[in-house]
Amino acid sequence: MLVKWIRLTVVDRRGFERGQRKWAGLLGEPGFRGQGGGWSRARPGVAHLVAFWESRAFYDSFMARSHDRLAAAQVGTYKDAQVRLFEHEFDVKVGFRPSFGDVDVLRLAHCQVRQERVDHFMLMQEKVWNPAMAGSPGMLRGMLGRAPGEEFLVLSMWQSAAERGKYRPERVERLALRAQIAADVRAIAGDVVQLEPSWTV
């Protein structure tokens, strides 16, 4: 499964949200599995979108045919768009599915991993972070995606912001020490996204 992550700064909120409804046209696209997104809770005006495709071939076909027509409605409503593509490596918890109907909050962690530490980083995701997140109240499901090179996206879906808040900083610090994250990761950028149900396709 291919994961597309888009992060952008919205300059015309009403126009952007109006244009966002046009993406319902994705539903007829071969290989499309789902899309959702919302507003950053830490950075005003920053929006995140995550889309899922069965394969890179289906995604490339969509980009060549229909993308520009759907995207036209949002031209001029945002700036600084950053687009990243990741291949699904494994699930966080079990049974990941790209649906957003039961989700309130997305947590995104974008990790640049040191080349010689990739195997250790992935092992720690599986053995340390996965069990801890799977046991967190309100954490529904998630996945680890990998881009070419040493770039990873950890995406988790949460039932509510209150439940996400139970994932305490001190607990995260303990897990980070156990997983030796400082040795594995060159850079990490994260965000918490309040889902906008009207953006879900």
mmCIF file of all heavy atoms in Angstrom, residues 72-109:
data_model
loop_
_atom_site.group_PDB
_atom_site.id
_atom_site.type_symbol
_atom_site.label_atom_id
_atom_site.label_comp_id
_atom_site.label_asym_id
_atom_site.label_seq_id
_atom_site.Cartn_x
_atom_site.Cartn_y
_atom_site.Cartn_z
ATOM 1 N N ALA A 72 -7.632 21.630 -9.128
ATOM 2 C CA ALA A 72 -7.807 22.986 -9.668
ATOM 3 C C ALA A 72 -8.606 23.884 -8.728
ATOM 4 O O ALA A 72 -8.344 25.091 -8.638
ATOM 5 C CB ALA A 72 -8.491 22.915 -11.031
ATOM 6 N N ALA A 73 -9.567 23.307 -7.996
ATOM 7 C CA ALA A 73 -10.442 24.107 -7.127
ATOM 8 C C ALA A 73 -9.694 24.741 -5.955
ATOM 9 O O ALA A 73 -10.200 25.674 -5.331
ATOM 10 C CB ALA A 73 -11.582 23.237 -6.598
ATOM 11 N N GLN A 74 -8.482 24.239 -5.637
ATOM 12 C CA GLN A 74 -7.750 24.762 -4.474
ATOM 13 C C GLN A 74 -6.546 25.626 -4.866
ATOM 14 O O GLN A 74 -5.824 26.094 -3.990
ATOM 15 C CB GLN A 74 -7.300 23.610 -3.580
ATOM 16 C CG GLN A 74 -8.465 23.036 -2.780
ATOM 17 C CD GLN A 74 -8.057 21.820 -1.984
ATOM 18 O OE1 GLN A 74 -7.469 20.889 -2.503
ATOM 19 N NE2 GLN A 74 -8.383 21.826 -0.702
ATOM 20 N N VAL A 75 -6.367 25.854 -6.147
ATOM 21 C CA VAL A 75 -5.233 26.672 -6.593
ATOM 22 C C VAL A 75 -5.329 28.066 -5.947
ATOM 23 O O VAL A 75 -6.387 28.689 -5.932
ATOM 24 C CB VAL A 75 -5.213 26.787 -8.136
ATOM 25 C CG1 VAL A 75 -4.204 27.842 -8.588
ATOM 26 C CG2 VAL A 75 -4.877 25.439 -8.758
ATOM 27 N N GLY A 76 -4.229 28.517 -5.355
ATOM 28 C CA GLY A 76 -4.187 29.840 -4.727
ATOM 29 C C GLY A 76 -4.685 29.891 -3.296
ATOM 30 O O GLY A 76 -4.636 30.947 -2.671
ATOM 31 N N THR A 77 -5.161 28.769 -2.753
ATOM 32 C CA THR A 77 -5.686 28.779 -1.382
ATOM 33 C C THR A 77 -4.643 28.343 -0.352
ATOM 34 O O THR A 77 -4.899 28.384 0.840
ATOM 35 C CB THR A 77 -6.930 27.862 -1.238
ATOM 36 O OG1 THR A 77 -6.539 26.507 -1.473
ATOM 37 C CG2 THR A 77 -8.018 28.264 -2.215
ATOM 38 N N TYR A 78 -3.471 27.913 -0.797
ATOM 39 C CA TYR A 78 -2.437 27.443 0.129
ATOM 40 C C TYR A 78 -1.055 27.745 -0.442
ATOM 41 O O TYR A 78 -0.902 28.084 -1.616
ATOM 42 C CB TYR A 78 -2.574 25.928 0.384
ATOM 43 C CG TYR A 78 -2.416 25.087 -0.856
ATOM 44 C CD1 TYR A 78 -1.148 24.691 -1.301
ATOM 45 C CD2 TYR A 78 -3.515 24.703 -1.608
ATOM 46 C CE1 TYR A 78 -0.981 23.944 -2.447
ATOM 47 C CE2 TYR A 78 -3.365 23.952 -2.758
ATOM 48 C CZ TYR A 78 -2.097 23.571 -3.170
ATOM 49 O OH TYR A 78 -1.943 22.826 -4.312
ATOM 50 N N LYS A 79 -0.039 27.581 0.418
ATOM 51 C CA LYS A 79 1.361 27.742 -0.001
ATOM 52 C C LYS A 79 2.196 26.691 0.730
ATOM 53 O O LYS A 79 1.690 25.987 1.621
ATOM 54 C CB LYS A 79 1.861 29.150 0.332
ATOM 55 C CG LYS A 79 1.825 29.475 1.816
ATOM 56 C CD LYS A 79 2.351 30.860 2.130
ATOM 57 C CE LYS A 79 2.394 31.064 3.646
ATOM 58 N NZ LYS A 79 2.960 32.353 4.035
ATOM 59 N N ASP A 80 3.451 26.600 0.350
ATOM 60 C CA ASP A 80 4.422 25.718 1.031
ATOM 61 C C ASP A 80 3.957 24.262 1.106
ATOM 62 O O ASP A 80 4.108 23.616 2.145
ATOM 63 C CB ASP A 80 4.715 26.211 2.470
ATOM 64 C CG ASP A 80 5.201 27.644 2.510
ATOM 65 O OD1 ASP A 80 5.800 28.076 1.506
ATOM 66 O OD2 ASP A 80 4.987 28.324 3.525
ATOM 67 N N ALA A 81 3.389 23.749 0.030
ATOM 68 C CA ALA A 81 2.950 22.345 0.045
ATOM 69 C C ALA A 81 4.157 21.413 0.041
ATOM 70 O O ALA A 81 5.079 21.586 -0.758
ATOM 71 C CB ALA A 81 2.063 22.062 -1.160
ATOM 72 N N GLN A 82 4.145 20.478 0.956
ATOM 73 C CA GLN A 82 5.175 19.431 0.991
ATOM 74 C C GLN A 82 4.478 18.094 0.818
ATOM 75 O O GLN A 82 3.542 17.780 1.565
ATOM 76 C CB GLN A 82 5.929 19.468 2.312
ATOM 77 C CG GLN A 82 6.725 20.746 2.508
ATOM 78 C CD GLN A 82 7.196 20.914 3.940
ATOM 79 O OE1 GLN A 82 7.472 19.950 4.634
ATOM 80 N NE2 GLN A 82 7.267 22.153 4.394
ATOM 81 N N VAL A 83 4.922 17.328 -0.161
ATOM 82 C CA VAL A 83 4.297 16.041 -0.472
ATOM 83 C C VAL A 83 5.334 14.942 -0.324
ATOM 84 O O VAL A 83 6.442 15.041 -0.844
ATOM 85 C CB VAL A 83 3.729 16.024 -1.913
ATOM 86 C CG1 VAL A 83 3.094 14.679 -2.222
ATOM 87 C CG2 VAL A 83 2.722 17.155 -2.097
ATOM 88 N N ARG A 84 4.982 13.895 0.419
ATOM 89 C CA ARG A 84 5.879 12.751 0.597
ATOM 90 C C ARG A 84 5.098 11.467 0.312
ATOM 91 O O ARG A 84 3.922 11.355 0.663
ATOM 92 C CB ARG A 84 6.382 12.685 2.037
ATOM 93 C CG ARG A 84 7.227 13.854 2.468
ATOM 94 C CD ARG A 84 8.692 13.564 2.204
ATOM 95 N NE ARG A 84 9.595 14.421 2.930
ATOM 96 C CZ ARG A 84 9.826 15.699 2.679
ATOM 97 N NH1 ARG A 84 9.161 16.311 1.736
ATOM 98 N NH2 ARG A 84 10.717 16.383 3.372
ATOM 99 N N LEU A 85 5.778 10.490 -0.290
ATOM 100 C CA LEU A 85 5.194 9.174 -0.561
ATOM 101 C C LEU A 85 5.944 8.118 0.237
ATOM 102 O O LEU A 85 7.176 8.121 0.272
ATOM 103 C CB LEU A 85 5.283 8.843 -2.054
ATOM 104 C CG LEU A 85 4.539 9.770 -3.007
ATOM 105 C CD1 LEU A 85 4.847 9.389 -4.451
ATOM 106 C CD2 LEU A 85 3.031 9.728 -2.762
ATOM 107 N N PHE A 86 5.184 7.220 0.860
ATOM 108 C CA PHE A 86 5.759 6.143 1.672
ATOM 109 C C PHE A 86 5.108 4.811 1.297
ATOM 110 O O PHE A 86 3.918 4.770 0.994
ATOM 111 C CB PHE A 86 5.505 6.388 3.171
ATOM 112 C CG PHE A 86 6.093 7.663 3.690
ATOM 113 C CD1 PHE A 86 5.391 8.864 3.598
ATOM 114 C CD2 PHE A 86 7.350 7.688 4.276
ATOM 115 C CE1 PHE A 86 5.928 10.054 4.074
ATOM 116 C CE2 PHE A 86 7.900 8.874 4.761
ATOM 117 C CZ PHE A 86 7.191 10.055 4.657
ATOM 118 N N GLU A 87 5.897 3.748 1.363
ATOM 119 C CA GLU A 87 5.357 2.399 1.216
ATOM 120 C C GLU A 87 5.073 1.838 2.606
ATOM 121 O O GLU A 87 5.915 1.942 3.512
ATOM 122 C CB GLU A 87 6.358 1.484 0.488
ATOM 123 C CG GLU A 87 6.524 1.792 -0.992
ATOM 124 C CD GLU A 87 5.324 1.365 -1.852
ATOM 125 O OE1 GLU A 87 4.442 0.642 -1.332
ATOM 126 O OE2 GLU A 87 5.283 1.767 -3.021
ATOM 127 N N HIS A 88 3.898 1.249 2.767
ATOM 128 C CA HIS A 88 3.512 0.626 4.032
ATOM 129 C C HIS A 88 4.497 -0.497 4.361
ATOM 130 O O HIS A 88 4.706 -1.394 3.563
ATOM 131 C CB HIS A 88 2.086 0.082 3.894
ATOM 132 C CG HIS A 88 1.616 -0.695 5.085
ATOM 133 N ND1 HIS A 88 1.850 -2.035 5.226
ATOM 134 C CD2 HIS A 88 0.912 -0.321 6.178
ATOM 135 C CE1 HIS A 88 1.311 -2.450 6.361
ATOM 136 N NE2 HIS A 88 0.745 -1.427 6.957
ATOM 137 N N GLU A 89 5.107 -0.417 5.551
ATOM 138 C CA GLU A 89 6.045 -1.461 5.990
ATOM 139 C C GLU A 89 5.356 -2.458 6.922
ATOM 140 O O GLU A 89 5.427 -3.646 6.715
ATOM 141 C CB GLU A 89 7.242 -0.832 6.711
ATOM 142 C CG GLU A 89 8.240 -0.178 5.786
ATOM 143 C CD GLU A 89 9.145 -1.171 5.069
ATOM 144 O OE1 GLU A 89 9.382 -2.277 5.600
ATOM 145 O OE2 GLU A 89 9.621 -0.840 3.973
ATOM 146 N N PHE A 90 4.745 -1.935 7.989
ATOM 147 C CA PHE A 90 3.969 -2.813 8.872
ATOM 148 C C PHE A 90 2.980 -1.994 9.692
ATOM 149 O O PHE A 90 3.065 -0.772 9.758
ATOM 150 C CB PHE A 90 4.852 -3.696 9.775
ATOM 151 C CG PHE A 90 5.877 -2.982 10.598
ATOM 152 C CD1 PHE A 90 5.532 -2.243 11.724
ATOM 153 C CD2 PHE A 90 7.224 -3.076 10.269
ATOM 154 C CE1 PHE A 90 6.482 -1.600 12.493
ATOM 155 C CE2 PHE A 90 8.197 -2.438 11.045
ATOM 156 C CZ PHE A 90 7.823 -1.705 12.156
ATOM 157 N N ASP A 91 2.033 -2.717 10.288
ATOM 158 C CA ASP A 91 0.985 -2.089 11.091
ATOM 159 C C ASP A 91 1.501 -1.761 12.488
ATOM 160 O O ASP A 91 2.365 -2.457 13.028
ATOM 161 C CB ASP A 91 -0.222 -3.028 11.251
ATOM 162 C CG ASP A 91 -0.977 -3.264 9.951
ATOM 163 O OD1 ASP A 91 -0.640 -2.614 8.943
ATOM 164 O OD2 ASP A 91 -1.889 -4.101 9.944
ATOM 165 N N VAL A 92 0.936 -0.700 13.065
ATOM 166 C CA VAL A 92 1.072 -0.433 14.493
ATOM 167 C C VAL A 92 -0.248 -0.909 15.090
ATOM 168 O O VAL A 92 -1.311 -0.520 14.629
ATOM 169 C CB VAL A 92 1.278 1.075 14.768
ATOM 170 C CG1 VAL A 92 1.306 1.356 16.261
ATOM 171 C CG2 VAL A 92 2.567 1.559 14.109
ATOM 172 N N LYS A 93 -0.173 -1.727 16.109
ATOM 173 C CA LYS A 93 -1.326 -2.502 16.564
ATOM 174 C C LYS A 93 -1.574 -3.554 15.495
ATOM 175 O O LYS A 93 -0.637 -4.039 14.862
ATOM 176 C CB LYS A 93 -2.551 -1.609 16.823
ATOM 177 C CG LYS A 93 -3.429 -2.085 17.975
ATOM 178 C CD LYS A 93 -4.412 -1.006 18.426
ATOM 179 C CE LYS A 93 -5.222 -1.491 19.609
ATOM 180 N NZ LYS A 93 -6.109 -0.465 20.155
ATOM 181 N N VAL A 94 -2.793 -3.942 15.217
ATOM 182 C CA VAL A 94 -3.026 -4.927 14.151
ATOM 183 C C VAL A 94 -4.185 -4.470 13.283
ATOM 184 O O VAL A 94 -5.027 -3.667 13.706
ATOM 185 C CB VAL A 94 -3.340 -6.343 14.719
ATOM 186 C CG1 VAL A 94 -2.113 -6.969 15.337
ATOM 187 C CG2 VAL A 94 -4.485 -6.294 15.719
ATOM 188 N N GLY A 95 -4.220 -4.987 12.077
ATOM 189 C CA GLY A 95 -5.371 -4.776 11.202
ATOM 190 C C GLY A 95 -5.549 -3.350 10.741
ATOM 191 O O GLY A 95 -6.666 -2.823 10.752
ATOM 192 N N PHE A 96 -4.446 -2.700 10.325
ATOM 193 C CA PHE A 96 -4.596 -1.336 9.833
ATOM 194 C C PHE A 96 -5.531 -1.294 8.628
ATOM 195 O O PHE A 96 -5.458 -2.128 7.733
ATOM 196 C CB PHE A 96 -3.241 -0.737 9.428
ATOM 197 C CG PHE A 96 -3.382 0.680 8.930
ATOM 198 C CD1 PHE A 96 -3.524 1.724 9.824
ATOM 199 C CD2 PHE A 96 -3.439 0.954 7.573
ATOM 200 C CE1 PHE A 96 -3.689 3.031 9.381
ATOM 201 C CE2 PHE A 96 -3.600 2.260 7.114
ATOM 202 C CZ PHE A 96 -3.719 3.294 8.018
ATOM 203 N N ARG A 97 -6.412 -0.296 8.634
ATOM 204 C CA ARG A 97 -7.239 -0.034 7.455
ATOM 205 C C ARG A 97 -7.345 1.476 7.283
ATOM 206 O O ARG A 97 -7.411 2.218 8.272
ATOM 207 C CB ARG A 97 -8.614 -0.684 7.556
ATOM 208 C CG ARG A 97 -9.439 -0.253 8.726
ATOM 209 C CD ARG A 97 -10.755 -1.028 8.827
ATOM 210 N NE ARG A 97 -11.729 -0.272 9.592
ATOM 211 C CZ ARG A 97 -11.739 -0.183 10.910
ATOM 212 N NH1 ARG A 97 -10.829 -0.811 11.627
ATOM 213 N NH2 ARG A 97 -12.659 0.532 11.522
ATOM 214 N N PRO A 98 -7.343 1.926 6.035
ATOM 215 C CA PRO A 98 -7.327 3.373 5.780
ATOM 216 C C PRO A 98 -8.711 4.000 5.835
ATOM 217 O O PRO A 98 -9.216 4.527 4.861
ATOM 218 C CB PRO A 98 -6.714 3.457 4.380
ATOM 219 C CG PRO A 98 -7.112 2.178 3.730
ATOM 220 C CD PRO A 98 -7.196 1.145 4.802
ATOM 221 N N SER A 99 -9.347 3.913 7.005
ATOM 222 C CA SER A 99 -10.665 4.544 7.156
ATOM 223 C C SER A 99 -10.602 5.507 8.335
ATOM 224 O O SER A 99 -9.855 5.307 9.283
ATOM 225 C CB SER A 99 -11.751 3.482 7.371
ATOM 226 O OG SER A 99 -11.494 2.755 8.550
ATOM 227 N N PHE A 100 -11.421 6.572 8.241
ATOM 228 C CA PHE A 100 -11.312 7.677 9.199
ATOM 229 C C PHE A 100 -12.602 7.912 9.991
ATOM 230 O O PHE A 100 -12.647 8.816 10.808
ATOM 231 C CB PHE A 100 -10.948 8.962 8.447
ATOM 232 C CG PHE A 100 -9.601 8.909 7.776
ATOM 233 C CD1 PHE A 100 -9.460 8.369 6.506
ATOM 234 C CD2 PHE A 100 -8.476 9.393 8.415
ATOM 235 C CE1 PHE A 100 -8.221 8.309 5.877
ATOM 236 C CE2 PHE A 100 -7.225 9.344 7.797
ATOM 237 C CZ PHE A 100 -7.102 8.803 6.532
ATOM 238 N N GLY A 101 -13.645 7.110 9.746
ATOM 239 C CA GLY A 101 -14.951 7.371 10.340
ATOM 240 C C GLY A 101 -14.975 7.360 11.855
ATOM 241 O O GLY A 101 -15.762 8.073 12.474
ATOM 242 N N ASP A 102 -14.097 6.564 12.487
ATOM 243 C CA ASP A 102 -14.088 6.449 13.953
ATOM 244 C C ASP A 102 -12.930 7.227 14.572
ATOM 245 O O ASP A 102 -12.652 7.094 15.757
ATOM 246 C CB ASP A 102 -14.002 4.972 14.353
ATOM 247 C CG ASP A 102 -12.829 4.245 13.691
ATOM 248 O OD1 ASP A 102 -12.217 4.821 12.755
ATOM 249 O OD2 ASP A 102 -12.528 3.110 14.090
ATOM 250 N N VAL A 103 -12.254 8.049 13.778
ATOM 251 C CA VAL A 103 -11.019 8.704 14.225
ATOM 252 C C VAL A 103 -11.260 10.194 14.480
ATOM 253 O O VAL A 103 -11.901 10.867 13.683
ATOM 254 C CB VAL A 103 -9.915 8.534 13.137
ATOM 255 C CG1 VAL A 103 -8.629 9.229 13.567
ATOM 256 C CG2 VAL A 103 -9.665 7.059 12.843
ATOM 257 N N ASP A 104 -10.724 10.711 15.597
ATOM 258 C CA ASP A 104 -10.787 12.149 15.894
ATOM 259 C C ASP A 104 -9.446 12.838 15.662
ATOM 260 O O ASP A 104 -9.392 14.004 15.280
ATOM 261 C CB ASP A 104 -11.182 12.378 17.362
ATOM 262 C CG ASP A 104 -12.596 11.917 17.658
ATOM 263 O OD1 ASP A 104 -13.462 12.103 16.787
ATOM 264 O OD2 ASP A 104 -12.816 11.355 18.741
ATOM 265 N N VAL A 105 -8.367 12.106 15.952
ATOM 266 C CA VAL A 105 -7.037 12.709 15.960
ATOM 267 C C VAL A 105 -6.047 11.805 15.221
ATOM 268 O O VAL A 105 -6.071 10.587 15.402
ATOM 269 C CB VAL A 105 -6.559 12.924 17.423
ATOM 270 C CG1 VAL A 105 -5.101 13.345 17.484
ATOM 271 C CG2 VAL A 105 -7.427 13.964 18.116
ATOM 272 N N LEU A 106 -5.203 12.431 14.396
ATOM 273 C CA LEU A 106 -4.075 11.732 13.778
ATOM 274 C C LEU A 106 -2.797 12.212 14.427
ATOM 275 O O LEU A 106 -2.652 13.405 14.701
ATOM 276 C CB LEU A 106 -3.962 12.062 12.281
ATOM 277 C CG LEU A 106 -5.040 11.617 11.312
ATOM 278 C CD1 LEU A 106 -4.671 12.089 9.909
ATOM 279 C CD2 LEU A 106 -5.188 10.110 11.326
ATOM 280 N N ARG A 107 -1.893 11.291 14.661
ATOM 281 C CA ARG A 107 -0.563 11.657 15.155
ATOM 282 C C ARG A 107 0.429 11.258 14.079
ATOM 283 O O ARG A 107 0.420 10.116 13.608
ATOM 284 C CB ARG A 107 -0.288 10.903 16.458
ATOM 285 C CG ARG A 107 1.120 11.083 17.013
ATOM 286 C CD ARG A 107 1.227 12.360 17.806
ATOM 287 N NE ARG A 107 2.540 12.493 18.425
ATOM 288 C CZ ARG A 107 3.588 13.075 17.859
ATOM 289 N NH1 ARG A 107 3.513 13.548 16.638
ATOM 290 N NH2 ARG A 107 4.729 13.183 18.513
ATOM 291 N N LEU A 108 1.275 12.207 13.652
ATOM 292 C CA LEU A 108 2.254 11.960 12.600
ATOM 293 C C LEU A 108 3.652 12.181 13.155
ATOM 294 O O LEU A 108 3.908 13.207 13.792
ATOM 295 C CB LEU A 108 2.027 12.931 11.431
ATOM 296 C CG LEU A 108 0.657 12.865 10.744
ATOM 297 C CD1 LEU A 108 0.429 14.103 9.891
ATOM 298 C CD2 LEU A 108 0.558 11.603 9.889
ATOM 299 N N ALA A 109 4.532 11.234 12.922
ATOM 300 C CA ALA A 109 5.939 11.407 13.287
ATOM 301 C C ALA A 109 6.780 11.099 12.054
ATOM 302 O O ALA A 109 6.751 9.978 11.529
ATOM 303 C CB ALA A 109 6.320 10.484 14.439
#
